[in-house]
């Protein structure tokens, strides 16, 4: 039985902050009422499968010391397990076979199908995982850092949480590494869009809060097209003043979230947020005289930023 | 499953059916490493065939339309 009783979240991540800034009402529906459509997002599913598969390959290769070929097989096993029996919508590029092709340690003779593990071979990749004092390679980095705000019900500190694919060393510096899949080609300014992205500013801030030096973020794009796979890498240096600026903004936004909660009013955007990306999933509620008549169309889904696919249902969150 | 078969001697349908069988066995925790490696080979072989297949769909349609137009000519 779904429970949509509003509850202020115990944690905030970059997606939640971005949603709140875009439309407070969407934030309320998605993260306080936990309303979600029953369908699985093909993009989030593919992204989760890629993250799970690459993490398995990196653990096997860098920590367990298996061969590159064995790491590829372990990568495939993890990928297959994560993918399960999911089928994306018809004509969507991110199918099981296409996404695996984008990961495989294989380059087709015509050079149009180069998998991630062939483009960035584990043994010669210029980005190698950071190895901590315990000797373990940082092939996955999760964090939960208390913010200077008390939860309105529990009184516990609200946490800023997240996970990224690898904490890596590149050119003598430490970088947060994250892979991004896209079903379209790369836009001309693809590499430029990440410097101001809160997601990566937050990762870098979290790495520093955890006691590490961090120069910035490396974002590796994987474009999964119908007959071709493309790769593009963006290396973004993030200076300290940007982290300070981001953190001030985060505090400002969380303060506003709490204020909305106390006033019991979350504003409607009534602009781009309603129609972008094919239309907001709550559009039918926002346009109804009595929004709650649509509640039956939604299931309860707890956003879990520490999961590889954060759109897990309530039952799956542990 | 015979993991020693040459993927190039199999039809695309056979390859995909074999990959799906490995996926199911793996989800049930029954696939062995040789089967997983074989599935990777099957997927590569299938991609190679898809890539080399002539992109004839649009051309074929145009050809049919052209023929029909020819037939409709007085």
């Amino acid at each position: 039985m779904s429970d949509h009783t509003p509850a202020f979240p115990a944690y905030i991540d970059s997606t939640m902050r971005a949603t709140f800034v875009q439309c407070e009402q969407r934030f309320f529906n998605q993260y306080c009422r936990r309303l979600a459509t029953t369908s699985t997002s093909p993009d989030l599913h593919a992204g989760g499968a890629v993250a799970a598969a690459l993490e398995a390959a990196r653990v096997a290769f860098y920590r367990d010391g298996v061969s590159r070929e064995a790491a590829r097989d372990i990568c495939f096993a993890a990928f297959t397990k994560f993918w399960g029996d999911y089928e994306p919508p018809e004509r969507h590029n991110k199918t099981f076979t296409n996404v695996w092709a984008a990961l495989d340690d294989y380059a087709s003779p015509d050079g149009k199908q180069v998998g991630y593990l062939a483009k960035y071979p584990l043994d010669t990749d210029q980005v190698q995982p950071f190895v901590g004092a315990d000797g373990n390679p940082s092939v996955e980095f999760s964090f939960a850092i208390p913010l200077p705000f008390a939860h309105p019900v529990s009184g516990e500190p609200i946490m800023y949480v997240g996970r990224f694919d690898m904490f890596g060393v590149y050119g003598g510096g430490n970088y947060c590494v994250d892979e991004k899949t896209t079903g379209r080609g790369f836009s001309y300014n693809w590499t430029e869009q990440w410097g101001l992205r809160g997601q990566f500013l937050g990762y870098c801030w979290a790495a520093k809060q955890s006691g590490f030096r961090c120069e910035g973020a490396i974002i590796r794009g994987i474009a999964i097209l119908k007959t071709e796979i493309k790769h593009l890498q963006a290396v973004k240096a993030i200076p300290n003043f940007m982290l300070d600026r981001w953190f001030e903004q985060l505090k400002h936004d969380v303060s506003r979230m709490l204020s909305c909660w106390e006033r019991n009013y979350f504003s409607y955007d009534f602009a781009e947020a309603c129609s972008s990306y094919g239309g907001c999933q709550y559009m039918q509620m926002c346009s109804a005289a009595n929004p709650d008549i649509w509640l039956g169309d939604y299931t309860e889904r707890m956003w879990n930023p520490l999961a590889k696919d954060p759109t897990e249902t309530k039952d799956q969150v542990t | 499953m015979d993991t020693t078969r040459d993927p190039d001697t199999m039809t695309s349908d056979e390859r995909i059916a074999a990959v799906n069988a490995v996926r199911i066995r793996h989800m049930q925790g029954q696939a062995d490493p040789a089967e997983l490696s074989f599935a990777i080979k099957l997927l590569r072989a299938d991609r190679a065939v898809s890539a080399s297949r002539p992109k004839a769909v649009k051309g074929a349609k145009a050809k049919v339309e052209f023929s029909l137009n020819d037939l409709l000519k007085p």
Side-chain angles (χ1 to χ4, degrees):
Chain A
M1 180 71 183
S2 293
D3 178 10
H4 300 306
T5 310
F8 194 87
Y11 47 78
I12 300 294
D13 79 335
S14 62
T15 305
M16 295 164 85
R17 191 205 75 85
T19 302
F20 177 78
V21 170
Q22 203 174 28
C23 177
E24 295 173 5
Q25 188 63 211
R26 189 194 288 187
F27 173 89
F28 178 69
N29 283 325
Q30 193 163 354
Y31 304 116
C32 298
R33 300 186 84 184
R34 304 166 303 286
L35 295 172
T37 49
T38 48
S39 61
T40 301
S41 155
D43 296 313
L44 287 175
H45 188 74
V50 166
L54 288 178
E55 183 187 333
R58 286 167 174 153
V59 166
F61 186 81
Y62 294 116
R63 195 190 67 195
D64 301 338
V66 306
S67 70
R68 191 170 141 183
E69 290 72 27
R72 178 210 56 206
D73 288 0
I74 288 165
C75 181
F76 180 69
F79 174 76
T80 303
K81 196 158 206 167
F82 189 99
W83 196 276
D85 58 0
Y86 176 72
E87 282 295 330
E90 210 174 334
R91 299 177 72 180
H92 201 283
N93 286 351
K94 293 180 183 175
T95 60
F96 175 85
T97 51
N98 280 353
V99 179
W100 171 249
L103 284 173
D104 196 0
D105 192 353
Y106 174 77
S108 64
D110 64 2
K112 287 188 171 179
Q113 303 253 345
V114 181
Y116 184 97
L117 294 172
K119 175 74 178 171
Y120 307 108
L122 293 166
D123 47 354
T124 57
D125 191 352
Q126 289 188 327
V127 183
Q128 292 288 310
F130 175 87
V131 179
D134 58 359
N136 278 327
S138 298
V139 292
E140 192 242 19
F141 195 105
S142 299
F143 57 86
I145 297 167
L147 295 173
F149 296 96
H151 189 275
V153 177
S154 71
E156 295 289 319
I158 295 170
M159 310 295 279
Y160 187 73
V161 304
R163 70 171 295 284
F164 52 90
D165 295 336
M166 183 167 79
F167 190 48
V169 179
Y170 173 75
N174 298 338
Y175 290 82
C176 311
V177 182
D178 209 53
E179 280 86 26
K180 294 275 182 202
T181 62
T182 170
R184 292 182 287 271
F186 296 114
S187 58
Y188 72 95
N189 62 345
W190 186 88
T191 56
E192 301 308 312
Q193 64 184 303
W194 310 112
L196 282 174
R197 188 63 65 97
Q199 178 186 5
F200 299 107
L201 295 167
Y203 289 167
C204 205
W205 175 82
K208 287 194 170 181
Q209 291 293 308
S210 306
F212 300 104
R213 215 184 73 216
C214 183
E215 275 68 32
I218 295 176
I219 303 97
R220 287 178 161 176
I222 311 168
I224 302 165
L225 313 176
K226 275 263 180 294
T227 57
E228 204 172 345
I229 298 155
K230 292 181 176 177
H231 299 270
L232 201 53
Q233 176 172 282
V235 180
K236 293 288 159 193
I238 300 176
N240 278 334
F241 78 85
M242 279 305 298
L243 297 183
D244 294 341
R245 186 172 290 167
W246 169 84
F247 188 55
E248 278 308 305
Q249 183 62 48
L250 177 71
K251 286 191 290 184
H252 178 76
D253 294 332
V254 175
S255 172
R256 277 179 52 219
M257 289 173 195
L258 289 165
S259 170
C260 290
W261 178 261
E262 280 159 21
R263 288 185 288 115
N264 194 24
Y265 188 81
F266 288 80
S267 297
Y268 296 82
D269 181 57
F270 289 145
E272 303 307 321
C274 307
S275 55
S276 57
Y277 298 107
C280 174
Q281 60 181 324
Y282 307 112
M283 199 186 269
Q284 57 190 5
M285 291 181 72
C286 293
S287 26
N290 177 12
D292 282 3
I293 62 168
W294 290 103
L295 281 181
D297 278 18
Y298 298 89
T299 185
E300 183 180 12
R301 187 178 286 167
M302 187 80 86
W303 178 257
N304 180 3
L306 300 183
K308 292 177 184 73
D309 175 358
T311 56
E312 293 181 331
T313 62
K314 181 190 177 195
D315 295 339
Q316 290 170 309
V317 175
T318 52
Chain B
M1 177 176 290
D2 180 6
T3 58
T4 60
R5 282 187 75 181
D6 178 359
D8 292 332
T9 63
M10 298 165 71
T11 66
S12 181
D13 285 348
E14 282 177 328
R15 283 192 290 260
I16 296 304
V19 168
N20 286 340
V22 173
R23 287 173 65 185
I24 291 165
R25 285 175 55 73
H26 181 53
M27 280 192 284
Q28 293 169 338
Q30 294 169 350
D32 61 42
E35 287 177 311
L36 292 167
S37 291
F38 186 54
I40 293 172
K41 284 183 195 159
L42 291 168
L43 287 165
R44 283 181 185 174
D46 212 57
R47 278 206 300 282
V49 170
S50 303
S52 63
R53 194 175 292 145
K55 290 173 187 167
V57 179
K58 268 189 176 175
K61 192 181 171 203
K63 217 171 190 177
V64 170
E65 283 168 0
F66 179 75
S67 307
L68 285 173
N69 286 340
D70 273 358
L71 288 172
L72 290 170
K73 275 179 188 168

